[in-house]
Amino acid sequence: MSYIREAWYPVVWADRVGRELTRHVVLEEPIVIYRLQDGGIAALQDSCPHRLAPLSLGRLKGDDIECGYHGMTFDCAGKCVLIPGQDIIPGRALVRAYPVQVKYGLVWLYMGDARNADPSKIFHIEQYDDPAWHAVQGDTLRIECNYLSLCDNLLDPAHVTFVHATTLGTPAGATVPVNNEYHGNEICVWRWIRNAEPIGVFAKFGGLTGMVDRWHYYNYSTPSYFKIDMGSCPTGSIPDMERRSEGTQMYTCHVLTPVDQRTVLQHWFHVRNFRTNEFEMDADLSASLDMAFREDKVILERIQLEEERAPDFKRIILGIDAAPMKMRRMVDKLIQAEAAPRPTA
């Protein structure tokens, strides 16, 4: 399977990286990640160039990794610095070192040419550092499905009524159409549901009890970043849709890591503008969100099995599929552009 490689991908929460060697797989590439003595983080190809023994089975010597098979030792830049019993180190005794950044509590790796590793291209949400908002680290959900299926799901407000009936949806949204907007490598799918009951999450944590106007804005950017803006306000209180921050608003952010063609990691966190100093509710709200995301996991994993069982099945296309289909065309276009021959000087 092909992937967009000239991009940053989240791999693991930074607070889960210690001085032990841990193996991760990103875009089908095995990677060993560990914390340096100065607190930084290193990420190397998890394959010794001698016999392909995983370096994660070796041991740390300071900030170097000693391969557990024959003791070849590599520094945190991927260069071999020692071969036991041999003074000459071949020039090809190298492993790939990946550019690393930490943002939003996550470790991000650049999977393309290191010369293109611009940190400003990492997913961005301006409210994260805004003192009027409160950011909460979520979790990582491993889903046994193709990452594009999860991308389809996260561009699809229509499923919320049926899959998340007690958490993120109500029956009022079943017949409300969605609007699609496309800008470069970004997509926004949105809708407002007027004069309806509040969804479970906002009723429980946002204190909304009467009828509300509520919204969902599903914002996607390549390769697999999602910023979902959802909120509510008392019916009729915010006539200008661009003034949503005056209501009860939350962004759930989903940044995905394709592991292989049938596995994806869904890293998520949220920022909210209500009850921002009530840290004791963070765990309960995160648990409610986690329950909703696990409802998607059940369906997506079953879809993956059905697709593998019937690979030639011809699906029908509905109006709600416009944005997911556009997303897949965007991804294909970027993959093809990366694969195109580069002009020579």
Side-chain angles (χ1 to χ4, degrees):
M1 181 174 178
S2 298
Y3 306 92
I4 297 172
R5 295 188 175 274
E6 296 296 330
W8 292 92
Y9 288 92
V11 182
V12 63
W13 295 98
D15 61 8
R16 299 177 188 177
V17 177
R19 288 285 292 162
E20 66 279 357
L21 301 172
T22 57
R23 181 182 173 93
H24 304 265
V25 179
V26 182
L27 312 188
E28 304 183 27
E29 295 183 16
I31 300 168
V32 57
I33 295 178
Y34 62 100
R35 192 169 293 277
L36 302 171
Q37 294 177 112
D38 66 2
I41 294 174
L44 302 178
Q45 174 187 350
D46 194 22
S47 301
C48 178
H50 175 220
R51 295 282 178 84
L52 295 183
L55 293 179
S56 56
L57 295 180
R59 59 194 61 84
L60 275 177
K61 295 293 187 71
D63 284 340
D64 301 337
I65 299 180
E66 178 186 84
C67 178
Y69 198 11
H70 295 100
M72 290 181 66
T73 303
F74 300 85
D75 66 18
C76 60
K79 180 181 179 181
C80 182
V81 295
L82 174 69
I83 300 178
Q86 179 174 324
D87 293 332
I88 296 175
I89 298 177
R92 293 177 56 237
L94 303 167
V95 294
R96 181 181 178 186
Y98 296 81
V100 177
Q101 292 286 316
V102 176
K103 188 174 182 179
Y104 307 129
L106 285 161
V107 177
W108 299 75
L109 303 186
Y110 195 79
M111 298 301 293
D113 187 332
R115 294 170 295 184
N116 299 330
D118 180 356
S120 71
K121 302 299 184 182
I122 298 175
F123 170 82
H124 179 69
I125 176 168
E126 61 185 31
Q127 290 84 359
Y128 190 90
D129 295 312
D130 188 328
W133 292 72
H134 176 52
V136 179
Q137 178 173 317
D139 206 346
T140 297
L141 192 61
R142 184 182 180 94
I143 304 179
E144 299 301 328
C145 76
N146 186 281
Y147 83 102
L148 292 173
S149 292
L150 179 54
C151 290
D152 290 341
N153 172 273
L154 292 170
L155 275 171
D156 175 21
H159 83 276
V160 174
T161 296
F162 307 99
V163 179
H164 309 299
T166 63
T167 52
L168 304 178
T170 69
T175 60
V176 179
V178 300
N179 303 278
N180 301 326
E181 297 177 4
Y182 310 116
H183 305 284
N185 290 326
E186 299 180 351
I187 298 173
C188 180
V189 181
W190 62 274
R191 68 178 177 178
W192 279 67
I193 300 170
R194 304 285 185 178
N195 196 32
E197 294 182 356
I199 63 173
V201 165
F202 284 117
K204 180 178 180 180
F205 298 102
L208 297 170
T209 56
M211 302 300 279
V212 300
D213 294 336
R214 56 187 176 88
W215 63 84
H216 277 93
Y217 287 75
Y218 287 46
N219 298 281
Y220 163 79
S221 57
T222 55
S224 48
Y225 307 154
F226 293 85
K227 179 172 60 177
I228 299 178
D229 168 5
M230 57 181 170
S232 299
C233 62
T235 296
S237 63
I238 303 181
D240 182 352
M241 292 187 295
E242 296 306 310
R243 298 174 62 178
R244 299 189 297 280
S245 62
E246 296 177 9
T248 300
Q249 188 177 22
M250 176 168 64
Y251 288 89
T252 60
C253 302
H254 306 259
V255 284
L256 313 184
T257 306
V259 174
D260 54 37
Q261 63 181 346
R262 68 178 321 277
T263 311
V264 59
L265 300 181
Q266 180 181 9
H267 312 280
W268 62 269
F269 60 93
H270 83 263
V271 293
R272 66 176 189 265
N273 71 352
F274 59 95
R275 301 178 66 180
T276 56
N277 295 320
E278 298 182 39
F279 307 138
E280 66 278 3
M281 69 169 272
D282 291 352
D284 285 344
L285 176 52
S286 290
S288 291
L289 294 173
D290 181 68
M291 182 175 70
F293 305 150
R294 289 179 183 275
E295 291 169 339
D296 290 319
K297 172 181 166 73
V298 171
I299 289 182
L300 292 172
E301 291 186 339
R302 288 296 301 272
I303 288 173
Q304 179 69 33
L305 293 175
E306 290 303 307
E307 288 178 337
E308 293 171 352
R309 181 187 63 82
D312 298 323
F313 180 79
K314 302 300 182 183
R315 310 186 197 194
I316 64 170
I317 304 300
L318 305 181
I320 58 175
D321 298 323
M325 291 174 64
K326 177 70 172 178
M327 174 274 299
R328 287 175 178 254
R329 290 194 297 270
M330 286 180 177
V331 170
D332 286 343
K333 184 177 179 180
L334 289 172
I335 291 172
Q336 292 169 14
E338 289 182 3
R342 302 298 184 198
T344 57

